């Protein structure tokens, strides 16, 4: 099928052609007067009516088997309005409310997250998504308690640690912290300076903060509620020679930080409050300094390395680097959770902005009613690709969670490597996209978006740090790029690509040949909406970037060395990583569309998937044009079709956001209520 009006008919009447051009010019110069005309034009050009979307079926497919546990979370907070976070709340009050929310969820609602961390990670992440949509501070506090503090004990410790601490962590008798980050070291974990020296006489480790730069910083749960901390420190063992001690690298230790009865800091431990933050003020971040704090030898989390009574070190892993990689690999769940939770934030913000845009009316044709602001092309351009991306990210992170759950059950080495790289890339890409989208949503709602009650400011401030913790996004993208280059190098040595990278085997061969001059000019709608064309275009771009950056690195390393060459090509490497992640996201989206059992839902998802793919291609059309992968006529066709798909998505936007199935007490923004929005909004300010 040819794209509507993609090019004038050579046999057409010159007068009618002139009229068409004048109409198009008028549309650019006076869009308000032409909104209704444009709608009619789109409908006529489309040759088909609005899709019929079965919202309950689509919602069921989206939320899957974890719907019940999320409803349990939503029902608990709906039944306890005193536990819902008010718009205006002081830092200290927010911290106490956040602890009450978590305690109520665990002890009253009977939801025990730690058990799911062990037995059913997919259910745990579903709880985390629901809790985070209630209050992001609560989601992070829960993550600190169960993913980080609890997860470190379960994943880095052995049976003796699980037997001793599991129940206390699970029921919140043992609130804890995850003390990794230091004032001078965040992303560079191998550079941590806190020291744990073994005293062979007393059979204890001595935890010390050697300088101010080694103070543990930004530690969640530390300022107020935490009683324990998993402390990451350099393990030093006596050698009885001129060296005195041997540095065995970074290990994790359980360190009690407060008295279980009085809640006062224990001897040798200084605790300070990091104070008011840009967001997440329901989380009590603190700083920890250790002055010769003694802990039993059993407090070493010894899954990957142990110290005997006589000070001998043993490990199943032969080197410091391998032990370090294994340790961090077990903590990848934090990144998985952040990527998944970031999509939840995007769902909430997109729902608020789109519902408001459907309700809000401004201007219109002369002597006719005002039109919805979502009928304006500019508003569609802001919000419809974002809605498509939200769906794409949902399926990508759902797949990531499933892979993570499978990895925890099988411990398959190939799957471990795949999850590590995929979680780094998705966390970096999705959290960055969500951060930008929150500002776009605020702007799309005009002055009403600036009211705190409508949540954009709170969501934006709370989510902003997602780009930094659990791995700075720029650093994580470099990890993805480095892994791609490793796979690329291995290919030419006869190696095989890892699971997620498999597509590069064929794409690299395709790249090394010239683009097909015939397919470069195909502009039919059927061709452009073909998932094979879309996926090939994404993968071609990634392969091209990979091959070109490999050549540049080889060239610059001769004069600048490896570090200098990497820095010289850094922006190129980041673009490569983002391109690869976009390819992975699209592949998962296409797979999810094809797997959808309900025809109505599948048609809606196909529409949204096509918009996601073609919008990305159009946004980077220069790359495709530079190498003649896309001819000029095809580029124009892609642009026209993208606009048309955006209009079609607008027609079912209400159904698509309703499929997220977010109750009003979750979105909470008066401008986003399904009914009576303005009445609730005016009531909020006292009318």
């Amino acid at each position: 099928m040819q794209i509507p009006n993609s090019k004038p008919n050579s046999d057409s009447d010159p007068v009618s052609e002139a009229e068409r051009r004048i109409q198009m010019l008028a549309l650019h110069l006076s869009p308000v007067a032409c909104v209704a005309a444009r709608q009619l034009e789109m409908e006529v050009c489309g040759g088909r009516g609005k899709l019929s979307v079965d919202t309950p079926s689509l919602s069921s497919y989206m939320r899957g088997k974890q719907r019940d546990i999320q409803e349990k979370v939503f029902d608990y907070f709906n039944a306890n309005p005193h536990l819902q976070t008010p718009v205006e709340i002081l830092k200290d009050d927010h911290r106490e409310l956040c602890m009450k929310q978590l305690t109520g969820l665990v002890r009253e609602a009977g939801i025990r997250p730690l058990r799911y961390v062990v037995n059913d990670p997919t259910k745990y992440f579903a709880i985390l998504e629901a809790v985070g949509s209630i209050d992001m501070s609560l989601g992070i506090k829960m993550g600190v308690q169960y993913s980080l503090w609890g997860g470190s004990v379960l994943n880095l410790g052995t049976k003796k640690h699980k037997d001793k601490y599991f129940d206390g962590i699970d029921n919140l008798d043992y609130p804890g912290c995850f003390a990794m980050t230091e004032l001078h070291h965040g992303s560079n974990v191998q550079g941590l300076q806190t020291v744990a020296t073994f005293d062979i006489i007393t059979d204890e480790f001595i935890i010390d903060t050697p300088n101010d730069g080694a103070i543990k910083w930004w530690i969640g749960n530390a300022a107020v509620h935490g009683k324990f901390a998993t402390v990451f420190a350099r393990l030093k063992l006596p050698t009885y020679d001129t060296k005195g001690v041997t540095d065995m690298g970074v290990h994790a230790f359980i360190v009690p930080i407060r008295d279980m009865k009085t809640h006062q800091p224990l001897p040798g431990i200084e605790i300070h409050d990091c104070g008011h933050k840009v967001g997440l003020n329901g989380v009590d971040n603190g700083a920890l300094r250790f002055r010769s704090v003694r802990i039993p030898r059993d407090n070493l989390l010894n899954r990957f390395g142990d110290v005997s009574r006589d000070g001998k070190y043993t490990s199943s892993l032969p080197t410091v680097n391998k032990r370090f990689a294994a340790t961090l690999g077990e903590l990848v769940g934090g990144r998985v959770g952040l990527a998944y939770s970031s999509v939840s934030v995007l769902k909430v913000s997109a729902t608020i902005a789109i519902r408001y845009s459907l309700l809000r009316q401004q201007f219109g044709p002369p002597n006719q009613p005002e039109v919805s602001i979502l009928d304006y092309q500019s508003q569609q351009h802001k919000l419809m690709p974002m809605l498509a991306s939200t769906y794409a990210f949902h399926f990508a992170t759902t797949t990531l969670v499933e892979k993570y759950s499978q990895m925890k059950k099988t411990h398959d080495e190939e799957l471990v490597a795949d999850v590590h790289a995929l979680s780094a890339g998705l966390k970096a890409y999705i959290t960055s996209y969500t951060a930008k989208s929150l500002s776009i949503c605020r702007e799309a709602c005009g002055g009403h978006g600036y009211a705190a009650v409508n949540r954009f400011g709170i969501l934006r401030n709370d989510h902003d740090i997602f780009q930094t913790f659990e791995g700075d996004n720029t650093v994580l993208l470099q990890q993805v790029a480095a892994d791609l280059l490793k796979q690329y190098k291995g290919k030419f040595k006869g190696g095989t690509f890892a699971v997620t990278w498999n597509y590069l085997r064929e794409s690299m061969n395709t790249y090394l040949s010239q683009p097909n001059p015939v397919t470069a000019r195909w502009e039919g709608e059927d061709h452009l909406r073909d998932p094979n064309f879309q996926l090939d275009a994404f993968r071609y771009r990634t392969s091209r970037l990979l091959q070109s950056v490999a050549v540049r690195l080889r060239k610059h390393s001769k004069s600048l060395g490896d570090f200098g060459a990497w820095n010289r090509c850094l922006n190129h490497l980041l673009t490569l990583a983002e391109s690869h992640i976009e390819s992975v996201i699209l592949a998962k989206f296409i797979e999810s569309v094809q797997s959808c059992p309900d025809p109505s839902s599948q048609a809606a998802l196909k529409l949204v998937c096509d918009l996601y793919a073609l919008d990305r291609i159009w946004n980077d059309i220069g790359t495709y044009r530079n190498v003649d992968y896309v001819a000029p006529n095809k580029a124009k066709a892609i642009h026209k079709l993208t606009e048309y798909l955006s209009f079609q998505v607008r027609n079912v936007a209400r159904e698509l956001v309703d499929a997220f199935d977010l109750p009003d007490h979750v979105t909470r923004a008066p401008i986003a209520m399904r009914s009576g929005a303005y009445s609730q909004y005016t009531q909020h300010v006292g009318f």
Side-chain angles (χ1 to χ4, degrees):
M1 176 180 172
Q2 195 68 19
I3 302 170
N5 294 332
S6 62
K7 59 184 178 182
N9 189 324
S10 58
D11 297 327
S12 63
D13 180 0
V15 176
S16 63
E17 176 59 24
E19 288 176 349
R20 189 187 71 82
R21 290 177 177 272
I22 290 171
Q23 288 174 356
M24 292 300 293
L25 181 60
L27 184 62
H28 287 288
L29 295 177
S30 184
V32 170
C34 295
V35 167
R38 178 177 174 275
Q39 288 178 338
L40 180 60
E41 178 191 354
M42 284 289 193
E43 289 166 8
V44 172
C45 290
R48 52 187 176 270
K50 172 183 171 182
L51 277 176
S52 175
V53 180
D54 184 344
T55 302
S57 294
L58 179 56
S59 180
S60 178
Y61 183 62
M62 291 280 288
R63 294 182 65 182
K65 61 183 179 180
Q66 306 305 340
R67 186 186 193 118
D68 289 346
I69 192 70
Q70 291 189 326
E71 290 298 330
K72 190 174 181 180
V73 173
F74 292 149
D75 289 346
Y76 174 73
F77 283 100
N78 193 36
N80 293 276
H82 65 285
L83 290 178
Q84 294 183 23
T85 308
V87 174
E88 298 180 41
I89 185 169
L90 298 174
K91 169 177 66 68
D92 291 344
D93 293 339
H94 196 181
R95 289 174 170 181
E96 289 309 310
L97 175 61
C98 208
M99 191 63 184
K100 288 178 182 176
Q101 290 171 332
L102 184 58
T103 302
L105 199 65
V106 171
R107 297 179 180 173
E108 294 176 15
I111 293 174
R112 294 298 183 86
L114 190 62
R115 300 178 186 186
Y116 299 128
V117 168
V118 176
N119 300 318
D120 191 354
T122 56
K123 186 166 287 189
Y124 171 75
F125 288 119
I127 296 169
L128 197 64
E129 179 186 28
V131 165
S133 63
I134 299 293
D135 185 336
M136 238 182 288
S137 286
L138 174 59
I140 296 302
K141 194 169 187 71
M142 190 179 95
V144 170
Q145 174 68 14
Y146 296 110
S147 293
L148 298 181
W149 156 233
S152 61
V153 172
L154 298 180
N155 293 320
L156 302 181
T158 49
K159 185 177 182 299
K160 63 183 178 183
H161 301 110
K162 296 171 189 175
D163 291 345
K164 183 174 181 179
Y165 292 99
F166 186 96
D167 289 340
I169 296 172
D170 188 41
N171 63 23
L172 287 177
D173 284 344
Y174 294 169
C177 318
F178 183 81
M180 177 180 281
T181 299
E182 296 178 354
L183 184 59
H184 283 181
H185 288 89
S187 297
N188 182 15
V189 179
Q190 282 187 302
L192 295 180
Q193 296 177 314
T194 301
V195 175
T197 305
F198 183 60
D199 184 342
I200 195 170
I201 296 174
T202 62
D203 195 27
E204 295 171 315
F205 291 106
I206 305 170
I207 311 296
D208 265 309
T209 302
N211 54 63
D212 286 353
I215 296 172
K216 296 295 182 181
W217 208 269
W218 294 124
I219 309 305
N221 271 0
V224 179
H225 297 122
K227 295 181 184 294
F228 295 86
T230 295
V231 176
F232 288 81
R234 311 196 73 82
L235 170 59
K236 297 201 173 182
L237 298 176
T239 58
Y240 308 106
D241 57 20
T242 54
K243 291 173 62 178
V245 293
T246 297
D247 187 337
M248 305 304 296
V250 174
H251 287 63
F253 303 82
I254 295 175
V255 181
I257 60 173
R258 285 188 173 93
D259 186 276
M260 290 297 293
K261 294 180 179 178
T262 66
H263 202 62
Q264 293 300 306
L266 292 170
I269 293 175
E270 292 182 29
I271 304 176
H272 296 275
D273 196 326
C274 288
H276 198 276
K277 307 183 292 291
V278 170
L280 294 178
N281 282 299
V283 182
D284 51 314
N285 293 89
L288 301 173
R289 183 197 287 272
F290 305 98
R291 298 184 186 274
S292 299
V293 176
R294 290 179 173 268
I295 59 172
R297 179 168 55 88
D298 277 351
N299 283 27
L300 167 66
L301 293 172
N302 60 337
R303 178 180 170 188
F304 298 115
D306 203 2
V307 177
S308 65
R309 178 65 186 86
D310 59 357
K312 296 291 194 316
Y313 185 83
T314 55
S315 174
S316 59
L317 301 170
T319 66
V320 170
N321 286 340
K322 285 188 178 295
R323 290 193 294 271
F324 177 75
T327 298
L328 291 193
E330 285 300 319
L331 304 175
V332 74
R335 290 176 187 168
V336 175
L338 280 183
Y340 197 68
S341 297
S342 185
V343 180
S344 176
V345 177
L346 190 55
K347 288 177 184 176
V348 172
S349 58
T351 296
I352 296 171
I354 290 169
R355 283 184 181 162
Y356 172 78
S357 297
L358 287 163
L359 174 74
R360 179 73 165 180
Q361 296 179 336
Q362 290 289 286
F363 305 108
N367 303 317
Q368 293 187 36
E370 292 184 304
V371 300
S372 163
I373 62 173
L374 198 55
D375 285 333
Y376 288 92
Q377 190 179 39
S378 56
Q379 195 79 343
Q380 293 172 15
H381 180 70
K382 289 176 184 176
L383 298 178
M384 296 303 95
M386 184 191 301
L387 179 57
S389 296
T390 307
Y391 270 83
F393 299 165
H394 168 86
F395 290 115
T397 53
T398 298
T399 300
L400 173 62
V401 166
E402 290 169 353
K403 283 192 172 190
Y404 174 79
S405 183
Q406 185 182 357
M407 179 199 81
K408 297 299 290 181
K409 293 174 183 176
T410 64
H411 302 288
D412 179 78
E413 289 187 8
E414 189 174 299
L415 195 55
V416 169
D418 194 30
V419 169
H420 185 270
L422 192 57
S423 63
L426 287 175
K427 182 269 182 185
Y429 186 87
I430 291 172
T431 57
S432 292
Y433 184 93
T434 299
K436 296 181 181 75
S437 297
L438 284 162
S439 290
I440 292 171
C441 286
R442 203 294 304 157
E443 180 187 345
C445 293
H448 295 310
Y450 199 62
V453 70
N454 289 319
R455 295 199 69 193
F456 291 122
I458 297 167
L459 290 170
R460 183 172 58 189
N461 290 347
D462 283 352
H463 178 275
D464 195 58
I465 193 62
F466 279 41
Q467 300 174 93
T468 302
F469 59 22
E470 291 294 331
D472 175 86
N473 283 358
T474 302
V475 174
L476 293 182
L477 288 175
Q478 289 182 71
Q479 289 181 13
V480 174
D483 206 11
L484 283 165
L485 286 162
K486 180 181 177 182
Q487 302 283 340
Y488 175 74
K489 184 178 179 181
K491 174 184 182 296
F492 291 101
K493 291 183 177 179
T496 58
F497 283 100
V499 178
T500 303
W501 298 183
N502 268 339
Y503 73 86
L504 289 169
R505 184 183 298 108
E506 295 178 3
S507 297
M508 287 307 302
N509 295 332
T510 302
Y511 169 71
L512 295 176
S513 61
Q514 292 298 315
N516 187 322
V518 176
T519 57
R521 285 163 174 75
W522 285 354
E523 56 179 287
E525 182 179 340
D526 289 346
H527 167 65
L528 297 179
R529 297 188 69 173
D530 184 342
N532 292 321
F533 158 71
Q534 297 165 1
L535 204 50
D536 284 347
F538 275 51
R539 290 173 168 178
Y540 176 85
R541 179 184 57 173
T542 302
S543 300
R544 182 176 182 274
L545 286 164
L546 177 55
Q547 196 271 347
S548 58
V549 80
V551 171
R552 288 187 66 204
L553 285 169
R554 194 178 304 117
K555 171 188 172 184
H556 290 303
S557 63
K558 294 175 182 177
S559 57
L560 300 175
D562 290 344
F563 180 84
W566 187 270
N567 195 36
R568 174 67 64 87
C569 301
L570 187 51
N571 289 334
H572 192 159
L573 290 160
L574 297 177
T575 303
L576 164 65
E578 289 174 343
S579 176
H580 166 67
I581 293 302
E582 287 184 350
S583 299
V584 172
I585 291 170
L586 178 59
K588 297 305 173 188
F589 200 175
I590 291 170
E591 185 180 306
S592 299
V593 172
Q594 294 170 345
S595 300
C596 183
D598 175 61
S600 165
S601 300
Q602 187 180 60
L605 290 174
K606 178 67 169 74
L607 173 65
V608 174
C609 185
D610 288 340
L611 177 58
Y612 172 79
L614 293 175
D615 180 70
R616 289 300 193 283
I617 293 172
W618 173 249
N619 287 338
D620 200 20
I621 199 66
T623 296
Y624 296 105
R625 285 289 302 113
N626 284 342
V627 293
D628 288 327
Y629 190 85
V630 170
N633 66 308
K634 188 170 186 173
K636 291 178 183 178
I638 290 170
H639 185 214
K640 281 194 172 186
L641 183 54
T642 302
E643 286 190 346
Y644 170 70
L645 293 174
S646 187
F647 171 79
Q648 289 287 7
V649 171
R650 175 262 174 269
N651 283 339
V652 290
R654 187 186 306 277
E655 292 89 341
L656 289 171
V657 296
D658 285 352
F660 294 148
D661 204 14
L662 298 173
D664 280 350
H665 72 270
V666 173
T667 55
R668 295 206 305 277
I671 60 171
M673 298 299 179
R674 288 182 171 86
S675 61
Y678 280 115
S679 64
Q680 295 188 48
Y681 195 19
T682 53
Q683 287 171 18
H684 171 74
V685 297
F687 285 100

